[in-house]
Amino acid sequence: MTPAGFDLLLRDAQLATMRDGSVPYGAVRDGAVGINGSAIAWVGRASDIPHDCPARRTLRCGGRWLTPGLVDCHTHLVYAGSRAGEFEQRLLGATYADISREGGGINATVRATRAADAALLSAQSRPRLAALAAEGVTTIEIKSGYGLDTASELKQLAVARALGEQLDVDVRTTLLAAHALPPEFSGRADAYIDYVCREMIPAVARAGAADAVDAFCETIGFTPAQTQRVFAAASALSLPVKLHADQLSDTGGAALAAAAGALSADHLEYTNAAGVAAMASAATVAVLLPGAFYALRETQLPPVAAFREQGVAMAVATDCNPGTSPATSLLLMLNMACTLFRLTPEEALAGATVRAARALGLADRGTLAAGQRADIVAWDIAEPAELAYRMGGNPNAGVIRAGRVVRWEA
Ligand code: DI6
Ligand code: FE
């Protein structure tokens, strides 16, 4: 059906629509995109633009590539303080687990985050979100998990949403109360999980402060049984779940997440064949986090070939966090996903657009197609593989979010 007209028409563009099909990247040369309101109304070749379809505003793209807005589907970017000192300790031989056992690691960031008021927390987190937004990230997931008490977790979640408003990025928040054991519950992990299930999850649900619930299922995190209790409490309040699974050891996390109908299982370096199969049948997205793999100098690779063979969708995200992935470039993660994990550049870009949207349960974005949200970014690149090929630099030349031009370079 031909719309009566467009609010905005983008033309002289090359499109990486990221729609599945026979053409790599779902590419359309000499393409155009018509937008009405906040949604894409028409996508095709410029020569096929309906003649009787006037546009109130036209932007000529000068041959630039357009892709869907990037989606960073796994971050912990709202936190206070820095852990550069731990980076130095690790270079001298300490492991991430050693540092965590000695009260550093996640708990060091918990102390700083609890001590910061919302204004300070926001001021320290803002540059990280600004860097990602400048690269064309239009949707981002931000987890709590450095408060570990109801008030501090709510503070983190509120700061995350407010930053999204300020910086014109769609923020999806995730409650990660089961991230680490706070010092006041030392030696009483089950009591902390009781508190998470009976108080925190209901309080956060009542406030409408989180879009999903996550947990860290790991020897230095929480057991599969504790994770299951968190999932049950979340599901009872209709909150979708996701999981930090099999990052440092095989705890059966991927299968546990799949059994709970999780949107995604994330990290997955130690996921076994049964976990891959369970994820495939539950359509749980595999979120790959090459920044953490790199920073921890991990050598165990996630089972990418098995994911591919069994049709498990793979997303790629920054895991932006102060301990294991102080990364604020999603494009660099695309490069690392290819170089370290052997994704193709097309899989990597799909992983930061359409697959990442699915990992957040969002079907309304991630491709350039009629009916999708008009989240569109423009790039100064000669071919889409360049987005994963480069290490550093930012070829972003424009951002349209929900049909509104946020930035556009002439
Ligand atoms: N896995 C990670 O890689 C991050 N959290 C998690 O559960 C690390 C968070 C941190 O070290 O601060
Ligand atoms: Fe993480």
Side-chain angles (χ1 to χ4, degrees):
M1 207 182 65
T2 306
F6 299 125
D7 292 335
L8 177 62
L9 179 65
L10 308 173
R11 52 184 311 164
D12 306 335
Q14 312 197 64
L15 312 178
T17 67
M18 305 316 288
R19 296 188 67 178
D20 289 331
S22 50
V23 209
Y25 299 94
V28 178
R29 310 270 161 176
D30 187 25
V33 180
I35 295 167
N36 273 327
S38 61
I40 296 174
W42 185 88
V43 175
R45 293 209 320 241
S47 52
D48 295 333
I49 296 173
H51 284 301
D52 54 351
C53 205
R56 277 169 280 286
R57 181 178 178 194
T58 299
L59 287 175
R60 296 197 171 265
C61 300
R64 278 180 178 138
W65 280 90
L66 303 182
T67 68
L70 301 187
V71 178
D72 191 351
C73 66
H74 179 140
T75 85
H76 311 242
L77 77 72
V78 171
Y79 62 84
S82 154
R83 305 236 299 273
E86 286 179 14
F87 177 59
E88 292 183 306
Q89 280 177 264
R90 288 213 303 269
L91 287 167
L92 291 172
T95 68
Y96 181 65
D98 292 339
I99 292 168
S100 154
R101 270 191 295 271
E102 284 155 20
I106 294 173
N107 265 313
T109 303
V110 170
R111 285 191 291 279
T113 302
R114 284 179 170 179
D117 64 11
L120 181 65
L121 190 54
S122 174
Q124 293 197 2
S125 306
R126 189 185 169 99
R128 295 187 277 270
L129 183 55
L132 287 161
E135 259 190 0
V137 170
T138 50
T139 300
I140 191 165
E141 186 253 17
I142 302 178
K143 301 173 197 296
S144 63
Y146 294 119
L148 309 185
D149 61 49
T150 306
S152 306
E153 291 282 300
L154 283 169
K155 175 178 70 181
Q156 264 194 287
L157 295 168
V159 165
R161 288 228 177 121
L163 281 172
E165 300 280 322
Q166 290 161 27
L167 296 179
D168 231 323
V169 182
D170 209 12
V171 167
R172 298 277 138 171
T173 50
T174 300
L175 175 68
L176 177 56
H179 191 199
L181 195 59
E184 62 275 19
F185 281 92
S186 181
R188 296 187 297 130
D190 280 313
Y192 179 63
I193 294 297
D194 283 344
Y195 169 60
V196 169
C197 295
R198 293 194 191 141
E199 281 190 54
M200 291 173 95
I201 294 175
V204 166
R206 259 194 316 276
D211 302 302
V213 169
D214 191 353
F216 186 29
C217 184
E218 189 54 65
T219 47
I220 60 165
F222 295 93
T223 64
Q226 290 162 343
T227 301
Q228 265 161 341
R229 291 176 57 208
V230 171
F231 281 1
S235 301
L237 294 168
S238 305
L239 283 164
V241 298
K242 45 182 54 225
L243 190 63
H244 281 72
D246 308 329
Q247 178 186 7
L248 307 170
S249 61
D250 178 5
T251 63
L256 192 160
L263 290 171
S264 69
D266 304 38
H267 288 287
L268 306 171
E269 279 82 347
Y270 289 84
T271 294
N272 59 37
V276 176
M279 287 177 68
S281 40
T284 296
V285 178
V287 178
L288 305 177
L289 303 165
F293 175 93
Y294 165 81
L296 293 173
R297 303 181 75 230
E298 181 57 73
T299 52
Q300 171 79 28
L301 286 161
V304 164
F307 288 141
R308 206 180 267 135
E309 274 156 27
Q310 302 204 28
V312 175
M314 292 181 283
V316 176
T318 59
D319 197 15
C320 174
N321 79 68
T324 60
S325 192
T328 48
S329 169
L330 187 52
L331 294 181
L332 182 58
M333 299 305 114
L334 300 191
N335 176 269
M336 288 186 178
C338 296
T339 303
L340 300 174
F341 295 167
R342 312 315 282 169
L343 265 64
T344 66
E346 185 183 3
E347 284 173 329
L349 184 56
T353 52
V354 58
R355 310 288 180 246
R358 300 306 171 265
L360 297 177
L362 300 172
D364 67 343
R365 67 197 72 184
T367 66
L368 300 181
Q372 289 266 286
R373 244 172 84 107
D375 289 348
I376 302 171
V377 287
W379 304 100
D380 272 327
I381 52 174
E383 53 186 311
E386 251 186 76
L387 293 176
Y389 159 73
R390 296 192 191 199
M391 300 166 67
N394 181 5
N396 184 272
V399 173
I400 293 170
R401 179 172 162 255
R404 214 166 37 76
V405 181
V406 175
R407 263 182 305 114
W408 198 262
E409 284 173 25

